[in-house]
Amino acid sequence: MVEKIKNDKEESDKMMGKRSEQKLIWGTKWFLDFMMVSGVIVLLTSPFLLRYAGEHYAEMIREHYFLYVTVYLISGVMGLTIVFCLRKMIRTVISQDCFVDENVRELKIMGTAGAVIAVVFLVKELFAFTVAGVVIVIVFFIAALFSFVLAGVFAEAVRCKQENDLTI
């Protein structure tokens, strides 16, 4: 009897873990969808927002307006690329098939996009230095490295999975 109660509790804990995991996955998917839509809106309005910020808040933005617009448009497109790749990857998590070649490709694309953002902001820092810009360079450089390393890990997992599938 005690053994049955223990097994029932373990089963219940597994089910609760699965439910909360599913909620997290679907919440992440919803958040990525929201980021995609809001990111497009911000990207399209960024020239106007930067002009307004330059006129009312930051003299440096007004002085280097075209530099800022260029940097933010390129970074915005790269940021949306990262979100788009994440949205594609979350679909494989939902379908419970994440160790696939497409995810390796998406991670490499995300790494490249992160590196582009780091380089673009590094160039911006040469003409209009800000501490926040340096932080962005460091964060996106580390994110790019992380994406490339994770792509390597996923590639190895895909290879092992394919090898396993052939064995069965």
Side-chain angles (χ1 to χ4, degrees):
M1 182 69 165
V2 172
E3 192 67 33
K4 182 175 178 352
I5 293 171
K6 186 177 178 182
N7 287 342
D8 288 348
K9 182 175 178 354
E10 287 176 7
E11 283 296 315
S12 175
D13 289 347
K14 285 180 186 176
M15 290 295 284
M16 288 302 289
K18 291 271 187 208
R19 279 191 212 126
S20 61
E21 197 175 291
Q22 286 298 317
K23 285 182 183 178
L24 179 64
I25 290 168
W26 283 99
T28 302
K29 184 196 177 310
W30 180 87
F31 184 66
L32 289 170
D33 292 344
F34 172 77
M35 285 178 62
M36 192 70 182
V37 172
S38 60
V40 168
I41 292 167
V42 170
L43 181 67
L44 293 174
T45 59
S46 63
F48 309 107
L49 294 172
L50 286 168
R51 182 169 305 282
Y52 182 82
E55 290 172 359
H56 298 290
Y57 299 108
E59 180 75 24
M60 186 182 290
I61 294 174
R62 190 168 50 78
E63 290 174 7
H64 302 284
Y65 174 75
F66 290 108
L67 173 66
Y68 271 86
V69 168
T70 303
V71 166
Y72 280 89
L73 288 178
I74 292 170
S75 298
V77 169
M78 293 297 109
L80 287 173
T81 300
I82 292 169
V83 172
F84 184 74
C85 290
L86 286 170
R87 288 176 72 226
K88 287 172 73 175
M89 288 181 71
I90 200 75
R91 287 187 204 124
T92 66
V93 173
I94 290 169
S95 68
Q96 297 180 341
D97 188 27
C98 12
F99 295 116
V100 292
D101 287 322
E102 295 87 42
N103 284 351
V104 174
R105 192 176 127 259
E106 299 306 325
L107 284 163
K108 288 178 181 177
I109 291 170
M110 290 180 349
T112 302
V116 168
I117 292 171
V119 168
V120 165
F121 266 89
L122 185 63
V123 170
K124 184 211 72 94
E125 292 308 300
L126 298 175
F127 299 100
F129 180 82
T130 61
V131 174
V134 174
V135 171
I136 290 170
V137 169
I138 293 168
V139 166
F140 277 96
F141 178 74
I142 292 170
L145 286 178
F146 179 77
S147 290
F148 287 127
V149 169
L150 197 56
V153 171
F154 265 66
E156 184 61 22
V158 168
R159 188 189 65 74
C160 288
K161 180 181 167 236
Q162 288 171 343
E163 213 172 83
N164 234 5
D165 290 346
L166 291 174
T167 304
I168 297 172

